[in-house]
Amino acid sequence: QLENHSKDSKEAQCQIMFTFKCPHFSQEDWRLLLIGDYFDFDNVLKHLQSSKASGVSNRTAWHKAWLAFKQAVCFAFTNRAAELQKYKNYIM
């Protein structure tokens, strides 16, 4: 599925961002997700809490960034939910 989105990531990003019930995620975060690039949870958290956030410094902050990331991944790649749940269980 990533190959489908990454062929024309700008078009995929527009389609996703204007879809009803699209998770709140910054344009840059959507771009990174759709091209399969590295993800920085500090940036995710900053976009969620405005520029005042200092980044992921505790379990609560990580969890908040993780939930936003997981919602976006599952929205764009519906088959990844089980994999992400296993990862969360491993980390927590």
Side-chain angles (χ1 to χ4, degrees):
Q1 221 174 9
L2 180 59
E3 286 181 7
N4 293 339
H5 287 315
S6 63
K7 285 180 184 175
D8 189 355
S9 62
K10 289 182 182 180
E11 178 63 27
Q13 182 177 342
C14 285
Q15 288 179 355
I16 287 173
M17 291 182 71
F18 292 108
T19 300
F20 183 66
K21 294 189 178 182
C22 174
H24 178 71
F25 223 44
S26 74
Q27 287 184 0
E28 178 63 10
D29 290 337
W30 277 116
R31 186 186 72 75
L32 293 172
L33 178 68
L34 294 174
I35 64 172
D37 207 348
Y38 168 78
F39 240 86
D40 184 346
F41 276 12
D42 286 343
N43 287 334
V44 172
L45 194 62
K46 287 177 186 176
H47 291 137
L48 289 173
Q49 298 179 342
S50 77
S51 60
K52 296 177 185 177
S54 61
V56 177
S57 59
N58 59 47
R59 184 178 179 150
T60 301
W62 182 90
H63 193 254
K64 187 170 187 168
W66 168 257
L67 285 177
F69 174 76
K70 181 183 174 190
Q71 287 174 346
V73 170
C74 290
F75 191 80
F77 306 101
T78 55
N79 60 328
R80 306 263 324 261
E83 171 192 355
L84 293 171
Q85 187 59 45
K86 286 179 186 177
Y87 179 76
K88 178 188 172 198
N89 291 344
Y90 174 76
I91 293 297
M92 301 295 273

